[in-house]
Amino acid sequence: SLNPPHGGVLKDLHARDAPIRAQLLAESEQIPDIRLTERQLCDLELIMNGGFSPLEGFMGKEDYESCVETLRLADGSLFPMPITLDVSQAQIEALKLAQGVRVTLRDARDESPLAILTVSSIYQPNKSNEAEKVFGADDKAHPAVTYLHSSVKDFYVGGTVQAVNAPEHYDYVELRYTPRELRAYFEKLSWNRVVAFQTRNPMHRAHRELTVRAARQQRANVLVHPVVGLTKPGDVDHFTRVRVYEAIIRTYPKGMAALALLPLAMRMGGPREAVWHAIIRKNFGATHFIVGRDHAGPGKNSQGKDFYGPYDAQELVTQFKDELAIEMVPFQAMSYIPEQDIYQPVDEIPKGTVTADISGTELRRRLKTGAPIPDWFSYEQVVKVLRESYPPKASQGFTILLSGYVNSGANAIAKALESQFQQQAGRSTSLLLGDTIRSELSAELGFAPEERHRNLQRVAFVAAELSRAGAAVIATPIAPYDASRKSAKAHIIQNGGAGGGNFFLVHVATPLEYCEKTDRRGVYARARAGEIKGFTGIDDKYEVPEDADLVVDLSKQTVRSAAHMIILLLESAGLL
Ligand code: PPS
């Protein structure tokens, strides 16, 4: 039969509170409420469905202190990760939080009531101590420590919760199983021995081989149980990863493996996190749990050293093995042996054998350049999914900002580029000409510094949206201010594409006299005559960019040659 939950009883609060749910729902509308952060939401979901058994709420002062200092709750049961609900002083006052007070915990996305918390204690954590004890160092290079100091509010409120609604999910609903559902699934298939595999990364053949191997060694089935809550900043997004897992699950021997998604907010807490992960998998019914080398590792600390030793996690899980009652299976690093076309555990490969590996860095490089990713490393379907989410440079969108005086020729260059891009199939091209933006997006704005700034940030917003969708964007506002250009650039890099948007600043450095001399519309004449006030170059500044990727000048070169220089710039960046 299946592995009993941690502490013996599955704390399925939805089932427990079902008989009084209508009453709780009615009460939830009458009492003060707290809107949960993303992380609190993940935690609450697992508190309510029993994934965090034996917890029945957020930790009160005693449990918290005991957990931080001893990895145990106040009653002695093993639970290594503090699960806390942080609030501000202002919230405490506004909600009149005090022992015995009941508050509704709401989903911030749709305001729906999820649970009612009965406050047992309100306390101020020592964050530095929490960082030291739980994560090993009060070092901001650790993502959870940064989170603790910069996002976590100053007080914790502890208390048990009563379940009203599970948080709603709209993605991959069919792959989300509660502990109760997963247990029923295992029961139905007579899966009495289940090896759970934790992951926050795309899976390739080596992962498939090591889990198959673990399953065969243990005569067990495999549960691929990836985290889709919060993982390490910079990870591949879970939408992409789940498509990868769906592809990889089909490569397992028939009937061996199942895929279920875990809405966990990881802390990257290494050894403590590994013990926590084991507890969670036990609650979901697994009997075995694969613990990786540097399991849930946060990377390097501010001294450039790893936060935890490579085997610390495995050692800590082993140390608690009797209490955990879920068997630790050490992750066996696998290497490919081309000669035999098989994967073997690295520690079983005889010295001198030729092996092949592709590192994470090398994989990212190949995705970027579109270089082939061999079948022995991954599966065609997996690579296809990754390439869709991380298109090679040649199919990524980009933004070119042509900045310069009025009548610098930026528009002519933009139109020349548009023709050249249209000649090459593949991307759609968007021209954001200065006057189009002014009439379509910024009609109410004038030319005061703040308004010019706003105008450029709107350009950046639109450009980033289009670039992310794969378009070639050419924008030609004057963009006279350095700080405004820099924030536009930052926005586009941040939002203009999966691996970072592509942005180029081209300074159209046609001199003012030349722009003025060739101005057939007479705008400069009107500015000189004082009919237009605060005109760029006349009585408003143009800050020459120090950070242009390219400088062109139509007093010295033709539109064709300027456009060609831009084409060569894009070509050298791999975009054409
Ligand atoms: S900015 O600084 O980037 O917001 O300027 P931009 O949006 O490119 O607007 C330039 C067009 O507005 C006309 N115009 C002025 N330009 C500069 N300064 C002032 N005070 C000003 N007032 C109006 C300018 O002639 C540009 O029009 P087009 O038709 O594009 O040449």
Side-chain angles (χ1 to χ4, degrees):
S1 69
L2 287 170
N3 207 4
H6 192 51
V9 182
L10 185 69
K11 296 293 172 76
D12 180 340
L13 308 190
H14 296 291
R16 185 197 67 190
D17 301 334
I20 55 163
R21 184 179 168 277
Q23 200 181 309
L24 292 170
L25 186 61
E27 183 187 353
S28 74
E29 299 303 334
Q30 311 300 320
I31 57 181
D33 51 22
I34 295 177
R35 270 165 203 73
L36 299 181
T37 64
E38 252 186 294
R39 181 158 115 181
Q40 293 166 345
L41 185 69
C42 287
D43 287 353
L44 180 63
E45 182 168 5
L46 287 163
I47 290 171
M48 291 197 296
N49 72 18
F52 286 169
S53 300
L55 298 192
E56 293 181 42
F58 289 95
M59 289 181 184
K61 187 167 194 285
E62 283 181 20
D63 280 335
Y64 167 76
E65 280 168 1
S66 171
C67 167
V68 168
E69 302 299 328
T70 70
L71 290 77
R72 295 174 184 284
L73 302 178
D75 71 2
S77 45
L78 185 63
F79 204 100
M81 195 57 73
I83 305 298
T84 51
L85 181 66
D86 55 298
V87 295
S88 62
Q89 176 80 54
Q91 275 176 304
I92 294 175
E93 286 163 18
L95 306 175
K96 301 195 171 59
L97 294 182
Q99 203 179 351
V101 166
R102 286 164 71 75
V103 284
T104 302
L105 305 182
R106 282 185 194 275
D107 190 330
R109 299 168 305 170
D110 60 7
E111 299 284 305
S112 75
L114 303 175
I116 295 180
L117 173 100
T118 307
V119 177
S120 64
S121 57
I122 303 167
Y123 53 104
Q124 188 160 21
N126 177 338
K127 292 186 179 178
S128 296
N129 183 59
E130 181 178 328
E132 291 278 354
K133 299 276 168 56
V134 178
F135 301 111
D138 192 5
D139 181 338
K140 293 258 176 85
H142 194 301
V145 174
T146 297
Y147 186 88
L148 185 59
H149 287 297
S150 50
S151 303
V152 172
K153 294 173 216 93
D154 286 340
F155 295 86
Y156 291 166
V157 350
T160 54
V161 301
Q162 291 169 294
V164 179
N165 290 309
E168 224 24 282
H169 292 288
Y170 301 98
D171 59 319
Y172 301 119
V173 178
E174 74 283 14
L175 293 173
R176 296 174 182 270
Y177 288 82
T178 65
R180 174 178 294 266
E181 289 167 346
L182 203 52
R183 286 168 168 274
Y185 180 85
F186 294 159
E187 209 97 58
K188 181 169 178 172
L189 298 174
S190 304
W191 286 18
N192 294 326
R193 293 167 66 82
V194 178
V195 186
F197 180 62
Q198 140 79 29
T199 181
R200 45 169 262 269
N201 286 310
M203 287 173 72
H204 301 288
R205 247 181 88 175
H207 306 103
R208 187 258 186 205
E209 299 303 326
L210 84 88
T211 48
V212 166
R213 211 181 155 81
R216 288 191 175 141
Q217 272 170 357
Q218 305 297 336
R219 303 245 173 113
N221 289 96
V222 175
L223 170 67
V224 176
H225 207 200
V227 173
V228 296
L230 298 174
T231 63
K232 199 173 151 189
D235 280 349
V236 173
D237 68 276
H238 83 264
F239 297 104
T240 303
R241 288 189 287 112
V242 176
R243 293 196 292 277
V244 165
Y245 305 137
E246 287 181 306
I248 209 129
I249 210 82
R250 288 192 282 274
T251 69
Y252 279 80
K254 235 197 177 90
M256 181 186 273
L259 170 64
L261 310 183
L262 181 67
L264 176 70
M266 289 182 70
R267 274 51 163 180
M268 308 314 298
R272 278 203 191 222
E273 179 131 355
V275 173
W276 184 40
H277 285 181
I279 290 172
I280 295 165
R281 273 41 185 239
K282 184 179 160 195
N283 288 332
F284 277 87
T287 51
H288 297 71
F289 180 56
I290 298 174
V291 179
R293 198 181 170 281
D294 194 25
H295 191 99
K300 307 266 183 234
N301 65 19
S302 49
Q303 267 80 59
K305 295 208 185 74
D306 286 331
F307 273 91
Y308 314 115
Y311 300 105
D312 289 3
Q314 294 181 353
E315 278 161 22
L316 197 68
V317 174
T318 306
Q319 184 187 321
F320 293 117
K321 93 184 194 311
D322 295 338
E323 271 172 277
L324 279 172
I326 176 168
E327 199 172 320
M328 201 256 301
V329 180
F331 178 108
Q332 285 189 294
M334 306 290 278
S335 259
Y336 180 67
I337 306 175
E339 174 129 318
Q340 297 159 38
D341 188 27
I342 52 165
Y343 273 84
Q344 285 280 299
V346 173
D347 49 16
E348 290 174 22
I349 298 174
K351 269 215 171 64
T353 310
V354 176
T355 61
D357 276 306
I358 290 181
S359 67
T361 313
E362 174 61 11
L363 176 66
R364 281 189 289 278
R365 189 191 70 79
R366 290 187 190 209
L367 287 171
K368 211 178 242 165
T369 60
I373 295 165
D375 279 350
W376 63 259
F377 175 76
S378 198
Y379 296 89
E380 200 186 316
Q381 290 308 310
V382 169
V383 173
K384 185 167 166 270
V385 167
L386 292 176
R387 287 207 197 278
E388 277 162 7
S389 293
Y390 297 89
K393 283 275 179 194
S395 3
Q396 291 174 14
F398 56 82
T399 296
I400 303 165
L401 176 62
L402 298 169
S403 168
Y405 290 116
V406 171
N407 200 39
S408 66
N411 285 358
I413 297 169
K415 286 172 187 163
L417 282 173
E418 183 188 32
S419 294
Q420 299 230 336
F421 292 160
Q422 283 171 335
Q423 182 179 325
Q424 309 193 0
R427 284 192 188 91
S428 75
T429 306
S430 284
L431 269 194
L432 302 178
L433 297 179
D435 49 346
T436 318
I437 298 154
R438 282 278 170 185
S439 65
E440 301 304 316
L441 289 180
S442 295
E444 91 289 11
L445 294 183
F447 291 84
E450 174 50 29
E451 293 174 294
R452 292 182 196 260
H453 178 77
R454 287 282 304 279
N455 186 47
L456 187 58
Q457 304 322 302
R458 290 179 190 176
V459 172
F461 173 77
V462 174
E465 296 300 304
L466 290 165
S467 291
R468 194 170 68 241
V473 182
I474 314 159
T476 66
I478 304 173
Y481 307 142
D482 187 57
S484 300
R485 288 189 302 254
K486 287 204 164 78
S487 66
K489 173 177 179 173
H491 179 85
I492 291 167
I493 288 174
Q494 178 81 39
N495 300 286
N502 301 298
F503 175 87
F504 302 92
L505 175 61
V506 177
H507 178 205
V508 184
T510 313
L512 183 64
E513 310 82 73
Y514 190 90
C515 299
E516 191 168 355
K517 193 175 69 194
T518 57
D519 170 27
R520 257 193 297 282
R521 293 178 305 167
V523 217
Y524 281 95
R526 287 171 48 217
R528 292 279 182 206
E531 290 166 32
I532 311 174
K533 297 254 153 33
F535 197 86
T536 305
I538 308 296
D539 52 357
D540 199 43
K541 62 184 174 181
Y542 180 85
E543 295 171 349
V544 171
E546 306 283 346
D547 57 345
D549 298 285
L550 184 68
V551 180
V552 295
D553 178 348
L554 291 191
S555 71
K556 299 199 183 111
Q557 62 186 143
T558 60
V559 169
R560 182 192 292 280
S561 103
H564 191 65
M565 284 173 70
I566 296 171
I567 296 285
L568 292 177
L569 171 70
L570 294 169
E571 163 60 38
S572 69
L575 286 156
L576 296 183

